[in-house]
Amino acid sequence: MIRLQKFKQLTAWAIIGLLTSWIVSCSTGNVGTSPKQGTTEVANIEFWTMQLQPQFTDYFKTLISNFESQNPGVKINWVDVPWSAMENKILTAVSAKTPPDVVNLNPDFASQLAGRNAWLDLDTTIPQDVRSAYLPNIWKASTLNGKSFGIPWYLTTRLTIYNTDLLKQADISKPPGTYTELAEVAQQIKNKTGKYAFFITFVPQDSGEVMESLVQMGVTLVDAEGKAAFNSPQGKAAFQYWVDLYKKGLLPKEVLTQGHRHAIDLYQSGETAFLASGPEFLKTIANNAPKIAQASAIAPQITGDTGKKNVAVMNVIIPRATKHPDAATKFALFVTNDTNQLAFAKAANVLPSTTKALSDSYFKDMPANASTVEKARVISATQLQQAEVLTPKLKDFKKLQKAVYDNLQAAMLGQKTVDKAVEDAAQQWNNR
C-alpha cells in the first residue's frame, strides 16, 4: 500500500478536516471471546493507534466507554503514537517483552514481526464464524504461513482522480483503464499540452506502487521459496514499460528523486492529468486547489492485463506477550465489528473490512446529483470486492523493492540494458 510510508500519508490526510465527535453503537457485533469470569482482577488493556488524535479523540473515548460499560472487568488505556515513531516504538516494546495489548499496524510491517512469532495466533483464539464476518481477501492479507496474525480494520483502494480540463485540451474522451492505454494518452497529453500524464515514484524507500504495477502486469515477484521470480518475459516487459516512458520524456525527471507526495503536489498545481490515490484526497485537493478540484473527476484504478486492483489495509494486532489475551481479543473484535467499522468508515472517508458494513447503502447508493466524493466512495467500494494486497508479505520486502527500483533507475538512465537490470535485481535479492 507500501508501502507503509504511502499508507501513512494516505491515512494522515484522510483524517484532516473530519468531524471529531462520532457516536458508536453499543452493539458488540462480531465478538467471540471474553475475559475469564469469576475473578475480581481488572484487565488493563493498552491500545495503540497511529496518529488518530485529536481528530478522533471523541470517537475513541465513546467507543472505549461503551466497551468498558459492557465489560466492567476491563479497562482500556488508549495511547496514540505518531506515524514516525510507531515502527521503532513497537519494535522496542516487543523486544523488551512490554508490548501493548492491542496495536494498530498494517500487514506489511506486522508480517515482519509475525515471522518472529511476536503476535497471537488468531486462528486458535477467534472462531471461524467470527473470522468469516470479514472480507475473505482482506483477512488473508493478515496471514503468514497459513496463520492469522491480524484482524482487518479500515481500508483504502486507489482510484484515478483526473483533470477533465487537461483531457479536453488533449482531445481525450475518457481516462485510461490500463497501463497500455496510459502510455498512449501520456504521449498525447505531452504533445498537446506540454504537461505530464502522471507521476509515480521510483525512490526505493517510498511508495510500492511500481511494485504493485508489476504484479498487475502479470509479473510474479517471488516464488514459493522466496526466490526472485521476476527474471521472466513478463518481468522484462514490465521493466521495459517504465524505461520507455522515462526515456520518451513522459515521466517527470523527479520520479527518481521525489516520493509519492510529489504526485499530489503536481496534480494540485495542474501539472499532471492523473493522480492515483484514495478518495480521501479529494477533500485535500478541494482545500488546497479549489479550481483543480472543480475540474476533477473519478475513474476506477488503472491496472494491467490481469485486471488486479490494489487495496491498502490497516489492522489490529494482539502481541503474544499480552497478559490478557482474552480481553485484548474481545476489544480488538469490538473495535472492528460491523457497527463500529461503519461509523469509523463514515468518519474517516475510508472503507470497512467486514462484509456487512460494506454492504450498507452508504457504499452503494449514488444519487443522481452525486458529488465527486460520493462517486468516489461508491466506485472505491465496488472495486474493493475484487481488490487484494498485491505485493507478497516478506519480512524484508523493502530490500526487494530496493533491488527492483535501483536497477530500474539504472535502466531508465541508460546505465544498464533492461535485461541486465532485471538479472541484476534478481541476483541482488537472491544474494541478500
Side-chain angles (χ1 to χ4, degrees):
M1 179 202 312
I2 178 225
R3 310 252 314 145
L4 181 59
Q5 182 171 353
K6 178 181 175 185
F7 198 39
K8 289 176 181 178
Q9 291 164 337
L10 285 174
T11 311
W13 281 102
I15 59 181
I16 291 176
L18 297 170
L19 296 178
T20 61
S21 180
W22 292 84
I23 303 303
V24 181
S25 167
C26 290
S27 171
T28 56
N30 313 328
V31 175
T33 60
S34 61
K36 295 176 181 177
Q37 303 298 316
T39 176
T40 57
E41 181 185 355
V42 173
N44 290 299
I45 300 300
E46 190 161 303
F47 171 46
W48 288 8
T49 57
M50 287 195 283
Q51 206 155 316
L52 295 179
Q53 292 180 3
Q55 289 87 352
F56 295 103
T57 297
D58 289 348
Y59 173 91
F60 282 102
K61 281 185 176 179
T62 303
L63 180 142
I64 289 168
S65 176
N66 287 340
F67 180 81
E68 289 179 342
S69 69
Q70 297 171 38
N71 299 273
V74 183
K75 292 295 179 184
I76 307 298
N77 175 31
W78 175 33
V79 178
D80 194 56
V81 180
W83 288 112
S84 58
M86 179 57 92
E87 286 193 27
N88 286 336
K89 192 173 176 66
I90 190 64
L91 281 169
T92 300
V94 168
S95 298
K97 294 185 169 38
T98 57
D101 300 278
V102 180
V103 60
N104 165 208
L105 296 172
N106 82 330
D108 281 354
F109 179 66
S111 65
Q112 297 178 31
L113 289 175
R116 302 179 200 174
N117 205 30
W119 312 131
L120 204 63
D121 179 4
L122 300 181
D123 295 328
T124 63
T125 58
I126 300 178
Q128 175 56 39
D129 63 324
V130 176
R131 300 199 300 271
S132 65
Y134 299 83
L135 296 167
N137 55 327
I138 303 302
W139 183 277
K140 186 179 177 182
S142 293
T143 61
L144 185 68
N145 300 325
K147 292 185 178 181
S148 304
F149 61 79
I151 303 171
W153 191 7
Y154 59 95
L155 319 169
T156 63
T157 181
R158 272 200 307 271
L159 297 170
T160 301
I161 302 173
Y162 64 97
N163 186 320
T164 57
D165 288 344
L166 279 181
L167 264 62
K168 286 176 186 175
Q169 292 174 36
D171 296 327
I172 296 170
S173 59
K174 64 177 184 177
T178 66
Y179 288 111
T180 300
E181 294 172 357
L182 178 61
E184 293 169 356
V185 302
Q187 187 69 68
Q188 195 169 335
I189 290 169
K190 192 69 183 293
N191 291 345
K192 298 206 172 187
T193 71
K195 310 276 189 179
Y196 293 103
F198 69 111
F199 176 96
I200 189 167
T201 181
F202 292 83
V203 175
Q205 300 79 18
D206 205 86
S207 163
E209 191 177 343
V210 170
M211 299 294 284
E212 293 175 339
S213 78
L214 302 186
V215 176
Q216 291 173 315
M217 293 179 192
V219 179
T220 300
L221 295 177
V222 296
D223 61 23
E225 284 72 46
K227 295 290 187 181
F230 55 84
N231 190 1
S232 63
Q234 295 91 340
K236 291 173 182 177
F239 268 52
Q240 191 71 60
Y241 175 87
W242 292 115
V243 170
D244 287 347
L245 280 179
Y246 185 82
K247 288 189 172 181
K248 290 177 182 177
L250 301 180
L251 290 173
K253 292 189 181 299
E254 312 93 87
V255 298
L256 305 183
T257 57
Q258 297 287 326
H260 176 75
R261 175 67 218 180
H262 195 59
I264 301 161
D265 295 337
L266 288 177
Y267 183 81
Q268 290 181 159
S269 61
E271 293 301 313
T272 53
F274 307 110
L275 174 64
S277 189
E280 62 273 13
F281 274 101
L282 290 167
K283 291 187 178 181
T284 302
I285 296 167
N287 290 334
N288 296 342
K291 288 185 179 179
I292 298 295
Q294 205 167 25
S296 293
I298 293 292
Q301 180 182 146
I302 292 172
T303 186
D305 293 339
T306 64
K308 291 181 177 181
K309 305 286 178 67
N310 100 301
V311 62
V313 180
M314 291 297 267
N315 55 21
V316 289
I317 312 290
I318 302 160
R320 183 177 293 275
T322 176
K323 295 178 180 178
H324 307 286
D326 291 342
T329 302
K330 186 169 189 179
F331 179 68
L333 290 170
F334 182 81
V335 170
T336 63
N337 72 23
D338 297 318
T339 302
N340 292 330
Q341 283 227 37
L342 180 58
F344 189 72
K346 289 181 178 180
N349 196 21
V350 292
L351 297 171
S353 61
T354 66
T355 303
K356 184 176 179 180
L358 189 64
S359 68
D360 190 88
S361 60
Y362 179 76
F363 301 105
K364 293 183 174 183
D365 297 345
M366 191 186 297
N369 60 342
S371 66
T372 306
V373 172
E374 289 172 322
K375 290 177 182 176
R377 179 173 69 236
V378 174
I379 292 172
S380 185
T382 300
Q383 69 181 18
L384 181 60
Q385 299 290 354
Q386 290 78 40
E388 58 185 292
V389 175
L390 296 176
T391 52
K393 292 182 291 296
L394 302 166
K395 65 179 182 179
D396 43 7
F397 176 78
K398 279 297 181 182
K399 290 182 180 178
L400 176 63
Q401 180 169 308
K402 180 172 171 55
V404 170
Y405 283 24
D406 282 349
N407 284 281
L408 254 176
Q409 285 203 24
M412 293 159 81
L413 293 170
Q415 298 167 351
K416 295 181 181 181
T417 64
V418 164
D419 285 1
K420 180 63 172 169
V422 173
E423 181 184 338
D424 286 354
Q427 190 173 38
Q428 187 178 327
W429 168 251
N430 289 338
N431 294 339
R432 69 193 183 282

